[in-house]
Amino acid sequence: MATVVTARPFGFCFGVERAIKLARTGKERFGKVYTLGELVHNPLVLEQLEQQGIRAVPRVRDARGGALVIRAHGCPPAALAECQRLGIRTIDATCPYVRKVQSVARRLRLEEFTVVVVGERNHPEVQSILGHSGKSGRVYSPRMRLTAGKIGIVAQTTMSRSQFREAVANLSRFRYTELRVFDTICEEVAGRQEAAARIAQNADLVIVVGGRNSANSSRLAEIARKAGRKVLFAERAADVTHRDLKGQRRIGVVAGSSTPSWVVRDIAAIARNPVKEDRLNVSRGH
Ligand code: F3S
């Protein structure tokens, strides 16, 4: 039997828990409730929400006649203005840590700084921060050359601290009138990344439990790969096969902050006692 170590904490982070709760309460109060994009990057959670009648829509105007939940990633101010213009009620589930980054960006913009966001260009959180940064806001790239002026650097909350430090060191080579750096990485995310690095050191296989489009889950996979470990990405129990686990003596299980705790427990149980089937089907029992 393999030794299985599960990284802690696991289950929803505070911001995801809060967003799901706000969406459900909104549904009870207002009847028709939509979310602007996927509320969280986890297919299991989205399936549950859909069953409860809470559906993701790509555009603000698709929520006419209902209330619109702004997800934990936040949204650009233009989206809120559109809601107001169209008379759509909003339920703001922006994570308070993301709101803090938005407010740092706004302050920098007011003080005429160029805001540089270290993060993934197309991620909704980065888009929301850029929306608060004004026209000069930009996403960091290693090839970026900024000259003179006032520069303010912030991080996407799910960024890895080492990548953020690398970006800051790179940008610090240039001369500016003023350079301000704000480490806006979420401590919950940083804690999970540290735990993943520790677990990866002593594992043959690391199972990352989370949505494939979840930024923080992908980061955990990157950390384990960097440590030279074999990585298995699993969104649900059925993604873990007997073949994947064969011969693995030490297995680490790490999970993104939008992964429900029951999936992590199910997968850890399978890793401990693999069932010899082509595909494992574990009833959720929740
Ligand atoms: Fe918020 Fe951190 Fe979760 S930024 S949504 S508490 S991962």
Side-chain angles (χ1 to χ4, degrees):
M1 191 190 280
T3 308
V4 178
V5 181
T6 305
R8 284 170 195 278
F10 61 86
F12 296 143
C13 65
F14 146 79
V16 167
E17 180 103 51
R18 179 175 169 272
I20 294 172
K21 207 167 166 183
L22 282 170
R24 287 185 177 143
T25 320
K27 175 76 186 152
E28 280 162 25
R29 284 186 63 194
F30 308 119
K32 266 191 182 171
V33 168
Y34 303 95
T35 65
L36 186 55
E38 294 179 344
L39 187 64
V40 291
H41 288 152
N42 187 286
L44 296 171
V45 179
L46 295 177
E47 281 162 22
Q48 281 185 341
L49 289 171
E50 280 226 5
Q51 280 161 14
Q52 290 159 0
I54 303 167
R55 198 164 54 81
V57 290
R59 298 165 308 184
V60 168
R61 61 177 180 274
D62 298 326
R64 277 196 183 113
L68 185 64
V69 181
I70 306 302
R71 54 189 166 182
H73 306 305
C75 73
L80 289 177
E82 194 180 351
C83 287
Q84 212 168 17
R85 192 166 49 79
L86 298 175
I88 297 169
R89 186 192 295 274
T90 53
I91 301 167
D92 190 358
T94 307
C95 174
Y97 300 129
V98 174
R99 206 177 289 141
K100 193 176 146 209
V101 195
Q102 295 174 340
S103 97
V104 170
R106 271 199 311 276
R107 214 174 58 228
L108 288 167
R109 186 194 69 203
L110 288 174
E111 292 183 43
E112 295 175 351
F113 277 74
T114 295
V115 180
V116 179
V117 187
V118 182
E120 292 160 60
R121 183 174 302 279
N122 296 322
H123 192 278
E125 181 192 326
V126 172
Q127 290 301 315
S128 90
I129 301 167
L130 283 178
H132 287 264
S133 306
K135 284 199 180 87
S136 65
R138 55 193 64 190
V139 180
Y140 169 76
S141 119
R143 289 177 303 281
M144 162 179 260
R145 295 188 81 81
L146 295 167
T147 47
K150 301 196 286 185
I151 308 294
I153 309 175
V154 299
Q156 179 180 351
T157 53
T158 49
M159 209 55 212
S160 95
R161 197 152 262 145
S162 62
Q163 279 175 308
F164 181 64
R165 286 192 184 131
E166 206 177 293
V168 171
N170 192 19
L171 288 173
S172 302
R173 292 177 301 136
F174 307 113
R175 282 180 162 229
Y176 311 110
T177 319
E178 196 176 338
L179 175 67
R180 288 193 200 164
V181 177
F182 298 84
D183 178 344
T184 47
I185 292 166
C186 168
E187 286 309 324
E188 165 93 28
V189 168
R192 287 185 193 226
Q193 289 175 355
E194 281 160 25
R198 269 197 310 275
I199 280 182
Q201 270 178 5
N202 296 308
D204 304 313
L205 169 73
V206 176
I207 305 178
V208 178
V209 191
R212 287 185 207 287
N213 56 347
S214 152
N216 72 88
S217 303
S218 308
R219 210 79 69 213
L220 299 178
E222 264 170 44
I223 289 169
R225 280 193 198 103
K226 230 177 180 173
R229 299 300 173 245
K230 194 175 161 199
V231 171
L232 173 65
F233 218 112
E235 288 186 335
R236 53 188 86 219
D239 292 338
V240 183
T241 65
H242 183 263
R243 202 175 335 137
D244 294 322
L245 302 173
K246 204 174 167 198
Q248 308 296 333
R249 306 307 311 156
R250 299 169 306 167
I251 300 174
V253 178
V254 301
S257 56
S258 49
T259 308
S261 51
W262 59 263
V263 191
V264 183
R265 287 200 191 93
D266 279 356
I267 288 182
I270 290 171
R272 242 172 254 121
N273 289 303
V275 180
K276 198 168 183 183
E277 283 173 3
D278 192 25
R279 282 267 156 191
L280 291 158
N281 272 315
V282 170
S283 90
R284 278 177 35 196
H286 299 273

